Amino acid sequence: MSAVTAITEIHPPASPALHTLVWEELSRRVDAFCAAWESPDPPLDLRPFLPAEDPTIRRLVLIELIKVDLEYRWVRHDLPKHVEEYGGDFPELLEKGEFPADLIYEEFHLRSQTPAPPPAQEYYHRFPGQEALLRKLIGGETNQTISTLASGRRDPRFEPGEQIDDFDLLLKLGQGAFAGVYLARQRSMQRIVALKISQDKGTESQTLAQLDHPHIVRVYDQRLIPERKLRLMYMQHIPGGTLQQVVERVRSIPPHERTGRLLLECVDAQLRDRGEDIPHESGLRQRLARMSWPQAVCWIGSRLAQALDYAHQRGVLHRDIKPANVLVAADGSPRLADFNVSFSSKVAGITPATFFGGSLAYMSPEQLEATNPQSARQPEELDGRSDIYSLAIMLWELLAGQRPFAEQALSGNWQELLSQLTEMRQRGIPPEQWRQLPAPLPAGLAELLSQCLAPAADQRPATAATLARELELCLQPAARQLFHPRTTGWPNFAQWGRSYPLLLVVLAGLIPNVLLSVLNIIFNLGTVASNYLSFAEFARTIIYPVNGLAYPWGIGLGLWLVWPVITAVSQRRQVAFRPVDALTPPLAPFLPARCLNLGLWIALIVFALWCVSGVAIPILLSRAVEAPQVVPWSSRGLLFGSQLLFGAMSATQVYFLLTWLCLRSFYPVLVPPGGGTLSDQEHLLATERVASRMFFVTLATPFLALACLPLTGTPTDQHFTGVFVVITVFGFVSLALSYFFQRTLQQDIQVLLQTQAPGGGSSWSVGLGDSFFTGSR
């Protein structure tokens, strides 16, 4: 299949470089030549339209003028002329004795539209030295693209006030190379539509008919006028202009003065020009007005990424993302439009090479390679990551007013130009270009743009849904911190938990138990055991046997519960910008719930072991003394009660430490933003309720200890009283820690609830009001 191009305009950056001036000159001369051909006395000589400057520039303009001349001669007039004849008039056209391959292909392409299309073999014989390249260019039977750099305005020309078919043309909204867009009234339906009038070719209408998304322009239907070879596509009217006007406005305003109001000012100017009402009461407009400019760009980008993901899931690649192809509604929301060179796997009779093209300034390296006939890359090798690259360039341009790559002067050779641009993108963004971006940027946005503009496609976000989620996280610092904790600074427990999950789980379970075990031993010796045994005897007969069984059992049961969770976390922690399901084994449905319940289950195990020890210690004490009957039941009850009290304190601290660790470190890795289910939301809410109950248990513990002080029977023992005071103080410290953890858990759960989507990840809302994400895992 051939990798032929349909290359459209490059919009100039803020600081015009040499290549921008050349491009403007090229477009101006091609437009003038087209206008001359449309006049009653068409030109037969194109020399007056050539520049007299540098030979490189002259040759570039010459090639593009010949392409226009070929079209008018072969398709619109019966004045055929072959490439070789131009060589006789313009010797500079040849390079090393060969004609430009794109010019040869253009002749073949245009002749293919005539009643007597030529065989490809004719061109192989006419240009034997370029046969291999021509076979690649001409090879695809369904290929209907062109290779022009500057197309000129050769679209069907109509003026406001005219009627065509069922439509009254009211206002010209836009002008492209091969189509005009008009505000029109559809007589039969008595409604206002946007009407696109173009030549009857391409599959844009069939592609758009498959898409029904709030951020993709909606097509109503199309009409064909066979006798004039015209196609009328009428669609939803989006009155706020395009993002191209926004980019131009950004270039005229200093970075520190740009806010979300900039977008609204551009929209309002378009609405006033077209006599439309401005929806001042729109809640979305009010929220946009309060945003910084980088926040507004993030918001726009996330909506367009949603639209791209929706299209990609339905087999549609856009392949021409740029500001001019994004319309803006009156409320400021963007709409993706212009699928002229898109590819849809659902439209019969076309291949990825059919109508292949794009805009050079926004192409990914692989799209530039597929555009270049000298490259082995084919259009069918492209996927949604190429659209992601183009979207990232556009977002950069919105942020900075210029694109991230400062292209040099255009080459006079088509293939060389594509090779130069490809090489430039493969080198990555030059370090000095990062200074273009305004400060401060939302946390993570610069890193995300760097990911999206990675030269290799497999280094970018794998899906547009992933990009949309990451842009949403840039707008929500608290949510982003959960899903992408900082990797520097101290202490950084969330990141440590992902790097050393097993170690952190063991420490969270052991530290409260060890501390309270020490206090418990001191308490038991000070109240009861010292009356019957020495410390050495107490340790040998009670401490070692009880703890020697309790700790291994507790650690073993805890590891059995936590092992599936930490295994899954270890597998998934390296895929921050990728959909984890595509890169790791499928997540078991029970793991998110187990992750949230780990703290509770291990806390119950801890409390149960403390209770068992509360039964075992009095029994072992009675058996260790010479006369068991001398240990009264009150002392045995005190030992049992102390185990319950210390067990409650230990269990609550283990619960809060482990639940905090799981919620902050593990859960965001297992369930990415937008990837939750209704069941996941229910488990989060249940965790919030359990945390509140655990806090009340912690609250009651120190007061229960104070209430039990008179029951000890030794209130005058200064040593014992000091120990009990320490225990009570520890209880209040535990209460303070539990309050901190409980409040933190509540906040984290609310953030996670906002990012989790009911119904299998279909949508999620964040704190920007109407801000929502649509995608699927």
Side-chain angles (χ1 to χ4, degrees):
M1 211 53 64
S2 65
V4 189
T5 63
I7 306 172
T8 57
E9 75 275 12
I10 296 178
H11 295 290
S15 302
L18 176 60
H19 83 280
T20 302
L21 299 176
V22 172
W23 195 266
E24 291 177 349
E25 180 72 4
L26 171 64
S27 298
R28 185 180 67 81
R29 291 182 180 276
V30 169
D31 280 346
F33 190 52
C34 290
W37 263 108
E38 296 287 346
S39 68
D41 186 19
L44 296 179
D45 186 5
L46 49 77
R47 285 184 177 84
F49 299 91
L50 286 172
E53 292 94 348
D54 173 37
T56 300
I57 299 174
R58 177 182 172 89
R59 186 171 185 274
L60 179 70
V61 175
L62 172 62
I63 293 171
E64 295 307 306
L65 291 179
I66 291 175
K67 292 175 183 178
V68 174
D69 198 56
L70 285 170
E71 178 175 352
Y72 277 100
R73 288 176 175 276
W74 284 100
V75 178
R76 304 199 179 192
H77 303 275
D78 189 15
L79 298 170
K81 191 172 183 179
H82 293 89
V83 168
E84 295 90 337
E85 297 177 62
Y86 293 99
D89 297 332
F90 304 99
E92 69 265 38
L93 191 62
L94 280 75
E95 187 174 43
K96 297 179 181 179
E98 302 286 359
F99 288 96
D102 53 319
L103 194 56
I104 299 170
Y105 168 76
E106 188 68 13
E107 181 193 312
F108 170 81
H109 167 73
L110 293 169
R111 288 182 62 190
S112 298
Q113 301 176 39
T114 64
Q121 202 66 30
E122 173 189 327
Y123 286 81
Y124 305 153
H125 288 307
R126 282 170 56 190
F127 306 98
Q130 296 170 274
E131 180 177 352
L133 184 58
L134 290 176
R135 283 187 181 278
K136 184 177 180 182
L137 282 168
I138 296 173
E141 294 179 0
T142 60
N143 202 314
Q144 302 179 39
T145 57
I146 62 171
S147 58
T148 54
L149 290 173
S151 302
R153 295 183 176 177
R154 288 170 278 176
D155 58 292
R157 293 171 179 263
F158 296 90
E159 296 298 331
E162 293 185 49
Q163 178 188 350
I164 179 170
D165 198 69
D166 190 32
F167 302 93
D168 295 320
L169 306 185
L170 305 177
L171 180 69
K172 178 173 281 191
L173 299 177
Q175 183 72 57
F178 297 99
V181 182
Y182 301 83
L183 183 67
R185 177 182 294 106
Q186 187 179 10
R187 292 186 171 190
S188 59
M189 300 298 292
Q190 288 298 300
R191 63 180 174 185
I192 300 298
V193 297
L195 181 67
K196 186 172 186 177
I197 306 176
S198 64
Q199 297 176 9
D200 183 17
K201 60 181 180 180
T203 61
E204 181 183 16
S205 54
Q206 294 96 316
T207 298
L208 281 171
Q210 304 173 56
L211 307 179
D212 184 12
H213 188 274
H215 295 292
I216 297 178
V217 65
R218 181 168 298 135
V219 170
Y220 298 134
D221 206 345
Q222 70 173 0
R223 292 173 181 247
L224 302 179
I225 305 180
E227 64 275 12
R228 302 178 67 177
K229 297 183 179 180
L230 293 180
R231 173 178 296 168
L232 312 180
M233 185 171 67
Y234 49 106
M235 64 194 90
Q236 178 186 13
H237 171 46
I238 309 296
T242 70
L243 286 184
Q244 183 57 39
Q245 282 113 18
V246 178
V247 168
E248 292 165 1
R249 176 74 169 158
V250 167
R251 292 170 180 164
S252 66
I253 297 179
H256 65 277
E257 295 182 11
R258 301 170 191 163
T259 68
R261 291 185 179 276
L262 184 154
L263 175 66
L264 301 179
E265 290 169 0
C266 293
V267 170
D268 293 349
Q270 295 295 318
L271 294 176
R272 284 191 291 269
D273 288 346
R274 297 170 184 178
E276 302 270 357
D277 293 331
I278 299 175
H280 292 290
E281 302 304 317
S282 166
L284 174 57
R285 287 174 59 97
Q286 294 172 10
R287 287 185 287 275
L288 284 170
R290 293 193 295 266
M291 292 183 195
S292 68
W293 181 237
Q295 286 177 328
V297 172
C298 279
W299 185 87
I300 291 170
S302 69
R303 270 72 210 146
L304 294 176
Q306 296 165 26
L308 281 178
D309 181 65
Y310 177 88
H312 293 166
Q313 289 186 47
R314 285 150 184 81
V316 176
L317 300 180
H318 190 283
R319 305 196 298 195
D320 195 18
I321 306 294
K322 59 182 178 181
N325 286 346
V326 178
L327 304 178
V328 186
D331 63 357
S333 59
R335 302 287 194 279
L336 191 57
D338 205 337
F339 284 69
N340 274 329
V341 295
S342 66
F343 165 66
S344 172
S345 61
K346 305 295 179 62
V347 177
I350 67 168
T351 71
T354 308
F355 310 110
F356 181 63
S359 298
L360 284 178
Y362 301 90
M363 282 187 182
S364 65
E366 62 269 25
Q367 189 173 358
L368 284 166
E369 287 181 333
T371 298
N372 191 341
Q374 291 183 326
S375 170
R377 176 92 62 174
Q378 297 295 321
E380 49 264 36
E381 296 179 42
L382 301 185
D383 57 26
R385 293 171 296 184
S386 182
D387 279 346
I388 288 174
Y389 189 98
S390 300
L391 177 58
I393 289 184
M394 188 183 75
L395 295 181
W396 184 299
E397 189 174 19
L398 283 170
L399 283 168
Q402 52 188 311
R403 294 182 292 274
F405 299 101
E407 293 95 346
Q408 302 304 313
L410 291 172
S411 168
N413 182 288
W414 180 51
Q415 292 91 344
E416 287 180 8
L417 168 63
L418 297 174
S419 298
Q420 291 168 6
L421 294 177
T422 302
E423 181 182 355
M424 186 181 304
R425 281 157 175 69
Q426 289 175 339
R427 289 198 300 264
I429 301 172
E432 64 274 10
Q433 295 297 101
W434 288 99
R435 292 194 291 269
Q436 295 177 358
L437 297 178
L441 290 177
L445 181 56
E447 294 86 345
L448 181 58
L449 288 174
S450 179
Q451 287 269 339
C452 294
L453 294 172
D458 59 3
Q459 296 175 348
R460 301 174 206 149
T463 67
T466 304
L467 173 58
R469 290 194 295 263
E470 294 300 327
L471 287 168
E472 289 283 3
L473 291 179
C474 290
L475 294 171
Q476 295 294 307
R480 177 174 174 77
Q481 183 60 29
L482 282 177
F483 291 98
H484 303 298
R486 55 189 172 85
T487 56
T488 59
W490 191 95
N492 193 1
F493 296 113
Q495 187 61 38
W496 291 352
R498 295 181 188 183
S499 301
Y500 313 101
L502 180 59
L503 176 62
L504 268 290
V505 166
V506 171
L507 289 177
L510 284 180
I511 289 174
N513 279 286
V514 171
L515 289 176
L516 285 160
S517 291
V518 172
L519 286 175
N520 178 249
I521 291 169
I522 297 172
F523 177 82
N524 287 339
L525 278 172
T527 55
V528 176
S530 60
N531 297 327
Y532 307 100
L533 300 172
S534 66
F535 176 76
E537 292 173 325
F538 183 70
R540 178 174 53 81
T541 59
I542 295 176
I543 297 176
Y544 296 155
V546 171
N547 289 332
L549 289 174
Y551 277 93
W553 270 98
I555 292 173
L557 288 172
L559 290 179
W560 176 73
L561 288 171
V562 78
W563 192 256
V565 173
I566 62 176
T567 300
V569 170
S570 299
Q571 291 174 336
R572 293 163 181 261
R573 69 186 181 205
Q574 302 298 328
V575 291
F577 288 99
R578 312 290 200 272
V580 292
D581 289 346
L583 300 178
T584 60
L587 184 69
F590 69 87
L591 280 179
R594 175 172 288 194
C595 180
L596 294 175
N597 290 327
L598 275 178
L600 176 61
W601 292 348
I602 294 178
L604 291 175
I605 291 173
V606 167
F607 186 69
L609 290 172
W610 277 88
C611 292
V612 171
S613 68
V615 174
I617 289 175
I619 296 175
L620 292 175
L621 179 63
S622 298
R623 295 181 62 181
V625 299
E626 294 181 356
Q629 64 275 12
V630 303
V631 182
W633 284 103
S634 60
S635 295
R636 300 182 190 189
L638 182 60
L639 291 173
F640 178 73
S642 72
Q643 295 300 112
L644 294 184
L645 190 64
F646 280 91
M649 285 192 290
S650 181
T652 53
Q653 292 308 302
V654 166
Y655 169 79
F656 281 115
L657 280 172
L658 280 175
T659 304
W660 180 83
L661 178 65
C662 288
L663 201 64
R664 282 238 160 166
S665 290
F666 302 163
Y667 191 82
V669 176
L670 298 177
V671 185
T677 65
L678 185 59
S679 176
D680 293 328
Q681 287 195 321
E682 292 171 350
H683 288 303
L684 284 169
L685 292 171
T687 301
E688 187 176 28
R689 291 192 295 269
V690 171
S692 298
R693 292 166 186 166
M694 280 293 187
F695 173 73
F696 284 113
V697 173
T698 310
L699 178 64
T701 302
F703 295 102
L704 182 61
L706 288 173
C708 292
L709 180 60
L711 303 178
T712 61
T714 57
T716 60
D717 187 330
Q718 292 183 353
H719 171 73
F720 165 71
T721 303
V723 172
F724 210 97
V725 169
V726 171
I727 294 171
T728 305
V729 170
F730 187 86
F732 281 108
V733 171
S734 297
L735 176 62
L737 290 173
S738 298
Y739 177 76
F740 165 77
F741 280 121
Q742 194 255 349
R743 293 291 298 170
T744 303
L745 288 174
Q746 280 186 332
Q747 294 169 0
D748 290 348
I749 287 171
Q750 289 305 312
V751 170
L752 289 170
L753 284 171
Q754 290 174 345
T755 63
Q756 299 313 309
S762 59
S763 65
W764 62 286
S765 305
V766 295
L768 293 175
D770 86 320
S771 179
F772 66 92
F773 165 75
T774 303
S776 63
R777 292 178 68 198

